[in-house]
Every structure is written in C-alpha cells, then in structure tokens.
Amino acid sequence: MTATVPPTPSDSPIPEQAGRVELPPGTVLTDNRFVNDDLLPVPLARRRWTTYNFAALWVGMAHNIPSWLLASGLVALGMDWKQAVFTIALANVIVLAPMLLTGHAGPKYGIPFPVLARASFGLRGANLPALIRAGVACAWFGIQTWIGGQGIFVLLGKLFGGWAEASEVGGQPWTLWVCFVLFWALELAIIYRGMEALRRFENWAAPFVIVGALVLLVWIANKAGGLGPLLDQPSRLGWGADFWPVFFPSLMGMIAFWSTLSLNIPDFTRFGAGQRAQVWGQTLGLPTTMTLFALLSVFVTSGSQAVYGVAVWDPVALAARTDNVFGLLFALVTVLVATISVNIAANVVSPAYDLANLAPRLINFRTGALITGVVGVLIMPWKLTETPELYIFTWLGLVGGLLGTVAGILIADYWLIRRTVLDLPALYTPGGRYWYTSGWNLRAVAAFVVGGVLAVGGSHSAPGKGPFPEDGLIPFLKPLADYGWAVGLGASLVVYVGLTAGRRRT
C-alpha cells in the first residue's frame, strides 16, 4: 500500500492553533509500513495533559527504588549527604534542558519520539535510535521489575517467614520467582489499558510515594535519635583529589538515569495542552522532586549508618529490619506503587511506540508493551544492580553515552536546522522530504557513529568491577569515558550541524 500524498502546505495550510499543529483536513495516510493509529499525531482535542499531569508524572517516576539507589549509592561510594545531593541536583538541572528541547515537538505536532526521529534520521533510519532507546527501556523494565519483585519477596518473607528458605530454581528461591512474575503481570495489565489509565494512575501514585518516603525517614530518624546523627556522617572523599574522580562519572551517571526520557519525552508531551503545560510541569516535576528524593535517600542511608554501623543503600532491605507488621505492609504497598509508577511510564511507553515504528502493520502500542515485558525478562537484569560501581559507572555510563549522542542529533536537527518547523504529513510519506537516501539520512548516521565512539569508546572498569578492560575499549579515548553523555551529545550535535550546513530542509 502507498500513502495518499496530501496537498502541499502552500495549497492547504496545516491547521495551527496557538502554536499547535495537526494534519490538514482530508489527509489520508495509508502506507502501513510507516503508519498506524498509535503513531499518528494526537488530534488537538485529545491534547489535554495539564501542568499537574506532567508534574505528577515526574513525581511518580522520580520516587522509585532505583533513583533511591542513586543517592544512597553515592553515600556508599564515600560522599557525604551534601556532596550526594549536590551531584544529583546538578545532574537533573542539566538533563532538564534537553528534556524541554525535545519535548517541544510533542505539544506542537502531537507526534511520538520515533516519528520525530524520522525528521533527522529518515523514515527508515529512525528505527536506529528507536531500537537503541527500546533496548535500553527493555533493560530498565527488567531491572525495575526485578527490584520490585525482590522487594515484595523480602517484605513478605518478613511477614510470613520461610520464603527465603524455599527450594531454589535457577539459583533463586522459587518464591522470589513467583513474586517477580506476579509483579510483571500486574504492570503489563495496567499499561494494556492505555495512556489515559497511566495518567490517572500517576495522579494518585505520586503523593502516595512521597508519604511512604517520609515515613521511612521519620522511622530511621527516630531510631538514630534525631536528624543530627544523619547529618554528621563525614565524607570519606573530602573535596580534594579523591572527590573529583568519583564526582564526574557519578554526575554523568545521574544524567544518564533520565537521558532515556530526554529522548522519548515527546511520547508524553504529545498529549500536552500546550508548551506551557509541558515546560512548567517538567520544570516543577523533575529537578525539584529528584532533589527532594535525594535528600530523603541520603538522610535515611546516613541514618542507617548511624544506627547499624553500615550504610544500607537498599530501602527494601532497610524496611525489612523492622518487626512492625503495619510498617512492613505499608512498605510493601509503597514498593508496589513506586515501582509500577516509574516502570510503566519510563520503560514501557517508549519501547511500545518504538517497536510499533519498526513494524506498524504488525505491532501496535499494546503489542509493543507485551514484547517489552518479555524482552525485559530475557535480558536477566538482576546482575546490573549488584554493586554501586556496576550500576552507576558501567551501566548508566554506557547508556548515557549512546543516548546523549542521539539527543544531540535530535536537538541539532529540530532546533538549529529546522527551527522547529516540520512538514507533518511528510513524516509518514515515503519519497517525501524526509526520505533522504532510501529512507536513511546518512549524515545523521555518520554523526551518531562519531559521537557514539567518542562517548563510549573509552569505557573502562576497575579490576574485577566490570566487563570492560582496565585501560578502556579504545585506550586513548579513556579520558572521555567519564563524560560520556556530554561528549556524545556535544560531538554528535557539532558533526550533524557541520554535515548539514547549507542543506537546510523544512
């Protein structure tokens, strides 16, 4: 089947309302290689997410166990609470900028991330960044689901006893696998109901999770004899030569944590009532709530060090130290809500759209979500959170470098080359202005290769701490590895603009 090519913009102006654009009346797009109902622009009448919806989305996503592990992991690496909170706050202010820049296309055109990527990578080439993003999301989905299932296992074990002593299957107690599978099924059941169900879930989940974190803080402060001991734990790094080698890769890791969303945020902002809603919602939701959660996390982790003599960086393990049945039940519900909140929004929505973009005729949003769930299990993600070094430096550093590279190309194309002006029907039309060379923009591919090699080519691990050589994959690039996200974004942006100079297309 082929697309019905609509009249040119000069013959039939694309309807625009307060800076928001939708397809011209009568436009018919039927090429099922590039079109299905989930990829088409959201009509103006359905773009109704408000500032609160976006802020609640971020509160729900920020307040989860892995983001708690970020802050408490920094304390475990030797930072004091001030250094950890500073690192996380700075990272989230930095990552907010590309988040807002890529998010702009959502309310304006109503398009998801893989369709936006067609403008820079081509109709077929967009599958390259989309599949990278989908692969990362599948891994994150597995990580979150494993952590959530593990949390349920630990807390139920405290309530009923005997769970940890169950016979093992695949190296883990069979009761842990049951918790993991049930949690996995619950997540997919919610997302199967669609984006409107997600919006409603996030609206009430956000405040509940905040209350849960505050309850944990009050409990540990009470056991520590007040907040004083929580704040007195000294830094093992100081602010000198020992601090900076930990700070910079940690900063890149914190940025990398949400660099995934800095790409696919149009998947959510496409439902926005306008630019004001997405800008204010994200600005109020992301850096403020991540900083607040970081404060809660490091206070509680510091408190655990004061109470137990060791920094307990896993909130589930910490909550399991109580013998109060009500406290355990409350912690169990909080773990469920927090993990579902972030996992569905951050790690299922994006690959569902990305996989739909790969084969629109065969895969819709719901099918893509189910595939994500299966792949997330097959990756066997439980190894990635075994140590803070592996979690922060290896996993987040590598992911951040690749995703920063894609973000640089998207921002360069949309803002610097096209000045936010897109031909909406052409994003779905083979042979049009975004077809390039057989559907691939080779300049974008070249920029991605250059930025990606510079960003992750020097990836290295300490002896016995990770999968990379101590001297780096490409030794002379090792000094760049600690700045992977920034290097990838900056290099790909400069290369793409340089290759595209004088060839501006709208």
Side-chain angles (χ1 to χ4, degrees):
M1 300 176 66
T2 58
T4 300
V5 181
T8 62
S10 59
D11 295 330
S12 178
I14 295 178
E16 184 167 342
Q17 183 184 74
R20 298 185 298 162
V21 180
E22 63 181 0
L23 289 171
T27 300
V28 180
L29 301 168
T30 59
D31 191 325
N32 56 22
R33 295 175 300 167
F34 305 104
V35 178
N36 68 19
D37 290 341
D38 295 311
L39 296 177
L40 285 172
V42 175
L44 289 178
R46 289 177 50 210
R47 301 181 204 173
R48 56 176 183 261
W49 283 34
T50 64
T51 296
Y52 176 78
N53 294 139
F54 286 113
L57 177 75
W58 274 114
V59 171
M61 289 196 296
H63 294 166
N64 63 86
I65 296 174
S67 64
W68 182 287
L69 296 179
L70 288 181
S72 57
L74 294 179
V75 173
L77 288 172
M79 292 188 183
D80 64 16
W81 72 271
K82 295 183 292 295
Q83 292 169 331
V85 172
F86 168 72
T87 303
I88 290 172
L90 178 60
N92 283 278
V93 170
I94 292 172
V95 82
L96 178 65
M99 200 85 68
L100 297 178
L101 291 174
T102 54
H104 183 277
K108 183 170 183 178
Y109 295 101
I111 54 177
F113 156 66
V115 174
L116 172 62
R118 293 175 180 179
S120 52
F121 282 85
L123 268 70
R124 287 175 172 161
N127 286 316
L128 172 62
L131 289 179
I132 290 172
R133 175 63 183 97
V136 171
C138 289
W140 270 123
F141 177 82
I143 290 171
Q144 292 273 12
T145 303
W146 178 255
I147 289 174
Q150 200 172 39
I152 297 170
F153 168 77
V154 170
L155 295 175
L156 287 180
K158 282 286 293 185
L159 283 172
F160 302 113
W163 281 57
E165 289 74 36
S167 58
E168 292 190 354
V169 176
Q172 301 289 347
W174 68 265
T175 46
L176 174 56
W177 291 116
V178 169
C179 293
F180 176 63
V181 171
L182 290 176
F183 188 63
W184 173 85
L186 177 61
E187 291 176 310
L188 293 186
I190 294 175
I191 195 60
Y192 194 77
R193 298 179 63 86
M195 290 293 291
E196 186 61 21
L198 172 63
R199 182 179 69 87
R200 292 195 298 267
F201 179 81
E202 294 291 350
N203 283 347
W204 71 265
F208 182 87
V209 175
I210 294 176
V211 172
L214 290 173
V215 168
L216 190 59
L217 174 64
V218 171
W219 170 67
I220 196 66
N222 182 63
K223 290 184 72 68
L227 286 176
L230 277 64
L231 305 180
D232 288 341
Q233 302 301 319
S235 170
R236 300 197 306 272
L237 304 174
W239 288 94
D242 293 334
F243 174 71
W244 300 110
V246 175
F247 169 75
F248 285 110
S250 296
L251 180 67
M252 292 299 108
M254 301 305 104
I255 292 172
F257 189 75
W258 290 125
S259 65
T260 51
L261 268 294
S262 70
L263 291 186
N264 75 282
I265 196 64
D267 294 343
F268 301 96
T269 61
R270 67 191 299 226
F271 297 96
Q275 296 298 339
R276 181 182 178 87
Q278 75 102 1
V279 170
W280 279 106
Q282 294 202 80
T283 302
L284 294 173
L286 173 58
T288 54
T289 54
M290 278 296 288
T291 302
L292 171 63
F293 206 54
L295 278 168
L296 292 174
S297 174
V298 297
F299 286 171
V300 171
T301 304
S302 295
S304 71
Q305 192 165 338
V307 173
Y308 300 109
V310 61
V312 183
W313 73 306
D314 184 345
V316 174
L318 184 60
R321 290 178 180 253
T322 181
D323 293 321
N324 184 285
V325 174
F326 175 79
L328 286 168
L329 287 174
F330 183 80
L332 177 63
V333 174
T334 302
V335 166
L336 281 170
V337 173
T339 309
I340 291 174
S341 177
V342 66
N343 214 16
I344 292 176
N347 303 318
V348 178
V349 172
S350 171
Y353 283 126
D354 296 337
L355 293 168
N357 187 71
L358 179 65
R361 182 179 59 180
L362 302 174
I363 303 174
N364 60 19
F365 180 83
R366 287 183 171 87
T367 305
L370 294 175
I371 294 174
T372 299
V374 172
V375 174
V377 173
L378 295 178
I379 292 173
M380 296 186 294
W382 39 87
K383 294 290 185 181
L384 291 176
T385 55
E386 282 186 336
T387 67
E389 290 87 0
L390 185 63
Y391 179 49
I392 293 175
F393 296 156
T394 302
W395 164 243
L396 290 180
L398 184 65
V399 165
L402 292 177
L403 297 182
T405 300
V406 175
I409 295 170
L410 293 184
I411 292 170
D413 183 80
Y414 182 70
W415 285 96
L416 302 180
I417 303 300
R418 305 187 190 282
R419 309 291 183 180
T420 76
V421 177
L422 298 176
D423 183 340
L424 193 54
L427 291 171
Y428 302 87
T429 308
R433 65 183 61 190
Y434 304 124
W435 189 243
Y436 300 107
T437 304
S438 300
W440 288 80
N441 183 0
L442 300 182
R443 294 186 292 277
V445 175
F448 174 78
V449 171
V450 172
V453 169
L454 291 176
V456 305
S459 297
H460 58 92
S461 302
K465 297 291 187 178
F468 302 119
E470 183 179 357
D471 294 331
L473 292 172
I474 304 175
F476 75 90
L477 293 179
K478 182 179 177 180
L480 300 180
D482 290 345
Y483 314 93
W485 180 84
V487 169
L489 188 147
S492 64
L493 186 150
V494 170
V495 171
Y496 184 81
V497 171
L499 293 175
T500 312
R503 302 180 183 181
R504 180 182 173 187
R505 302 184 183 206
T506 57

